[in-house]
Amino acid sequence: RWRVVAEDQPALWDANDQAVLIKNERIEVYVNDDNLDGDVYSTAVGSPTNNGRTANFPLRNPDAALSLYTLGPDDVMYVDTGVYALTNLQGLAVGLIGSEQELGLSNLPIRIIGSTNFAMGGSRIVPAPEANSIGVLINNTRFVNLENFFIEGGRGDGVSVVRSTDVSLKRVTSRDNGANGFYVTSLSDVYADRCVAWGNTNYGFVVEGTSEAIFNRGVLWSNRNGAAHADGAMWRASNSILCTYGTNAYLIRMSGLAGWAAGDYNIYYP
């Protein structure tokens, strides 16, 4: 804690009510499942009793790791190859969670990184089984990167971005979720590169609430209500494949006074 004392009156002093953490180095957090098959970051299996701060002492669950550490500029969490079943309805939650706010910087973003070993299944996030469960929630923050994840089988949105700016999604696949693959709302802006959404109950990608999303080199395939929906928001797609099935499904739906979409070098089917 900090304590301030008057030099000429030592009896006059005060201290902060809440403890303060002074960060003098980048935080690296490691997460692993119960085996080492196909791992690229960790050198030991995960355990809830580990501190997660080194590759040989990884934590077992990524949602528990995010609850344990408040991340900031240049901090990174590595989630190794494996399947991770979540119990938290908010999923992997980054940003303003409770009373703690996590913020990155333009040149020092917060990074949540999954495995690059896609041949062995990569890092697979299974949201909680309850209604409206989310795979990843990025809430009220800025400069957050999410990379190399499969998010599948939840009952809500796969990835939800709320009131957050400068969010980067790279190589994220969101499939078979009960709502949308990707949901961006409330003055947010997102750049999605090489992302995939397929088999979701609503849309592959929804952007609304005066938000903006750029979808590049990705695939939106066979989502029940349509590929994309821009509701009072801006949607741009390039070098991507957008596909729908069924007579009532949209390739790109635009609604709301400010809703608009643009595209270049895309493949649309049918």
Side-chain angles (χ1 to χ4, degrees), residues 235-255:
W235 157 267
R236 308 180 190 197
S238 61
N239 302 290
S240 297
I241 299 173
L242 280 67
C243 173
T244 59
Y245 292 96
T247 57
N248 296 319
Y250 297 85
L251 272 172
I252 302 175
R253 180 185 178 188
M254 292 178 288
S255 60

Side-chain angles (χ1 to χ4, degrees), residues 1 3 23 38 45 51 56 59 88 97 113 126 143 151 154 175 178 189 196 200 213 219 231 233 235 243:
R1 294 179 184 273
R3 183 173 180 175
K23 177 185 171 184
V45 299
N51 62 18
N56 59 332
L59 286 159
N88 181 1
I97 309 300
I113 305 177
V126 180
F143 300 110
I151 300 161
R175 69 179 185 92
D189 70 82
V196 177
N200 297 289
V219 177
D231 183 9
W235 157 267
C243 173

Side-chain angles (χ1 to χ4, degrees), residues 9 18 31 49 56 60 85 92 96 100 108 119 122 129 139-140 156 165 184 211 216 221 234 240 248 252 268:
Q9 300 182 54
Q18 300 294 327
V31 178
T49 61
N56 59 332
R60 176 60 182 84
L92 303 186
L96 180 60
E100 300 289 340
L108 299 171
N139 179 47
N140 206 348
T165 59
V184 179
S211 298
N216 185 42
W221 189 276
M234 295 174 284
S240 297
N248 296 319
I252 302 175
Y268 301 102

Side-chain angles (χ1 to χ4, degrees), residues 11-209:
L12 181 61
W13 62 272
D14 196 11
N16 58 301
D17 297 324
Q18 300 294 327
V20 175
L21 174 65
I22 299 176
K23 177 185 171 184
N24 54 16
E25 62 181 6
R26 182 172 80 165
I27 295 176
E28 294 184 347
V29 183
Y30 294 83
V31 178
N32 198 15
D33 64 357
D34 298 324
N35 61 71
L36 296 176
D37 296 344
D39 287 347
V40 295
Y41 305 123
S42 300
T43 58
V45 299
S47 170
T49 61
N50 289 341
N51 62 18
R53 291 302 309 276
T54 58
N56 59 332
F57 285 99
L59 286 159
R60 176 60 182 84
N61 294 307
D63 51 348
L66 287 174
S67 298
L68 185 61
Y69 294 103
T70 299
L71 302 182
D74 203 32
D75 292 342
V76 58
M77 183 173 79
Y78 298 102
V79 181
D80 225 322
T81 307
V83 178
Y84 301 90
L86 307 182
T87 58
N88 181 1
L89 291 179
Q90 294 183 322
L92 303 186
V94 184
L96 180 60
I97 309 300
S99 61
E100 300 289 340
Q101 186 168 34
E102 299 167 312
L103 301 168
L105 296 174
S106 60
N107 60 333
L108 299 171
I110 297 171
R111 300 180 68 196
I112 312 297
I113 305 177
S115 169
T116 56
N117 193 346
F118 302 117
M120 290 294 292
S123 300
R124 314 188 82 86
I125 303 299
V126 180
E130 289 81 7
N132 301 316
S133 59
I134 297 172
V136 176
L137 172 63
I138 300 173
N139 179 47
N140 206 348
T141 186
R142 59 179 180 264
F143 300 110
V144 173
N145 292 3
L146 181 72
E147 308 171 31
N148 310 328
F149 281 98
F150 297 88
I151 300 161
E152 53 195 42
R155 299 185 66 184
D157 298 315
V159 177
S160 182
V161 181
V162 182
R163 290 183 296 276
S164 297
T165 59
D166 299 286
V167 174
S168 174
L169 310 175
K170 295 182 180 179
R171 293 177 296 274
V172 177
T173 294
S174 181
R175 69 179 185 92
D176 296 328
N177 294 291
N180 305 291
F182 300 92
Y183 178 67
V184 179
T185 187
S186 302
L187 297 169
S188 297
D189 70 82
V190 169
Y191 177 76
D193 185 44
R194 299 181 183 178
C195 292
V196 177
W198 61 275
N200 297 289
T201 300
N202 292 342
Y203 291 89
F205 205 115
V206 171
V207 55
E208 66 175 29

